[in-house]
Amino acid sequence: MASRKVIGFDMDGVIVDNCPLKVEIANKMGYSIKLADAPFEIIKNILKPEDLRALQTALYHDLKMSLGAKLMPGIVNLLRQIKSEKTPYFLVSRRSDPPIAIKLLCARGLWPEYFNESNAFFVAEPEEKNAKAKELRVTHYIDDETKILNVLTDVPNKFLFDRLNVFPEADHYTKVASHKELAKHLF
Ligand SMILES: [Mg+2]
């Protein structure tokens, strides 16, 4: 019998690892930041607002630049496992330029094999992630931002993907540092 588990994924910082690319771009702008400074909730406090905007434009709207992002280690194995047990899963991302997001997933071999028009959704606001997750009956959601997990009030199981171990533990989410670790909670 199929389980009732439904998994939702954030894209950046969970499926895609763009932290090395962020360090590279910020270094070129003259900031001497380290990998541990690259998660959005940290880098946003380091870069000047205009530089943060330029960084985000490069990451999410510049095709050539955005294609420099790598996959998070272990994500393909995890998706293969989820697919093989026929658990429904979705991508719910706040990328505002879906064609570029899709081109990146395509270039990394995830589109259309693991994500495609039937299970990938793009929304604008954090609260819309919750609404979409609720509509899709997501039971387990994985995000790399505490700000997002805080508004996912309709998702019973929330996971903070904290690869660099830069965020504190909290009661309302489970912290994982890798997809291998996440798999232990999902299966
Ligand atoms: Mg993210």
Side-chain angles (χ1 to χ4, degrees), residues 11-13 16-29 31 33-39 43 47 51 54-72 95 100 104 108 163-164:
M11 180 164 166
D12 296 289
V16 166
D17 180 14
N18 40 31
C19 280
L21 192 55
K22 283 189 208 167
V23 172
E24 201 185 304
I25 297 170
N27 286 347
K28 275 187 199 144
M29 288 172 166
Y31 294 91
I33 67 158
K34 308 177 298 293
L35 203 54
D37 301 319
I43 202 170
L47 267 55
D51 290 338
L55 175 97
Q56 288 181 298
T57 301
L59 285 176
Y60 308 126
H61 301 279
D62 177 325
L63 177 63
K64 198 172 162 231
M65 194 64 104
S66 68
L67 287 180
K70 303 275 185 286
L71 284 185
M72 197 58 84
R95 282 229 183 186
I100 286 192
L104 172 60
R108 296 287 167 268
R163 190 187 181 204
L164 302 166

Side-chain angles (χ1 to χ4, degrees), residues 10-14 129 143-145 148:
D10 170 43
M11 180 164 166
D12 296 289
V14 175
K129 270 200 174 183
D143 207 291
D144 65 320
E145 288 184 55
I148 302 294

